[in-house]
Amino acid sequence: MKYGESVFVIEKEIISKDEIAFLIPQIYKLLHVRFGHRHWWPGDTRDEIMIGAILTQNTAWTNVEKAIKNLKKVDCLSLDRLASTSRSELEKMIRPSGYFRQKAERLMNFARIVLDYPDGPDAFFHHSQNLDEIRDRLLNINGVGPETADSILLYAASFPSFVIDAYTFRIFTRMALYDGKKDYMKLQKLITDNLELDLDLYRDYHAQLVELGKRYCRNRRPVCDTCPLNELCPKKGA
DNA sequence: GTCCTGAGCA
DNA sequence: TGCTCAGGAC
């Protein structure tokens, strides 16, 4: 490297509002070109998506798939069937997803709360309410944190609530768009402030970030040379 | 700090 | 075969 060249390579300390406003939609465009439209969430029904959202907490999706398969086998991929299963049976079936005792308890508790909601689950998620109202109701359920709540809202209940996860923190930190301290609402606001409010865009953007985080922007040994965001990333190769 | 598994790698 | 690792909520 020639003397002085590093000036252009060194990570920028400050990124202007205009740069952020350009980069956040641009990142999506590049990911979409590389990966194509993702059909997310993997799951057919609202119940299945909600169950998957709880099972995948701090867990790789491949492990969740095994649990889902076990539940499907005995037709337990719905809240009402779940609520009428014995705890020990449920624990056995969801064991591959990890934290099986915690998750069994959380699933049964979640199912009961949603099923027992006045006028039922449809009323719980009815679009006549505002997003924050339902979000708060979800967050008040034991075992439902911000990521799980937003996953349920976005993919199961069709509310435009942007999902932030470990991949999102990692990618946006490496892209120098975020300061690195894990503040869920702060990163969510940064992204949504610079993105068109659109259900399908929110769904696909998060899906694209998951794909990037798994295949390129990995925690260890990131694959920067062929990363679709390579030319935009100040950390490439680092 | 605690709760857990399966993939990946030596 | 035995280790480390990745991954949310409380």
Side-chain angles (χ1 to χ4, degrees), chain A residues 109-142:
Chain A
N109 180 248
F110 178 86
R112 210 158 284 128
I113 288 174
V114 174
L115 291 169
D116 290 349
Y117 190 75
D119 298 321
D122 286 339
F124 191 106
F125 295 107
H126 201 272
H127 277 240
S128 59
Q129 309 156 93
N130 41 23
L131 192 159
D132 289 331
E133 198 178 336
I134 308 179
R135 193 172 190 274
D136 285 341
R137 200 150 61 226
L138 285 167
L139 290 173
N140 278 326
I141 301 175
N142 181 268

Side-chain angles (χ1 to χ4, degrees), chain A residues 83-100:
Chain A
S84 58
T85 311
S86 79
R87 174 81 133 266
S88 60
E89 275 307 304
L90 184 56
E91 287 182 0
K92 265 183 231 163
M93 291 189 283
I94 67 169
R95 187 156 191 157
S97 75
Y99 310 101
F100 60 95

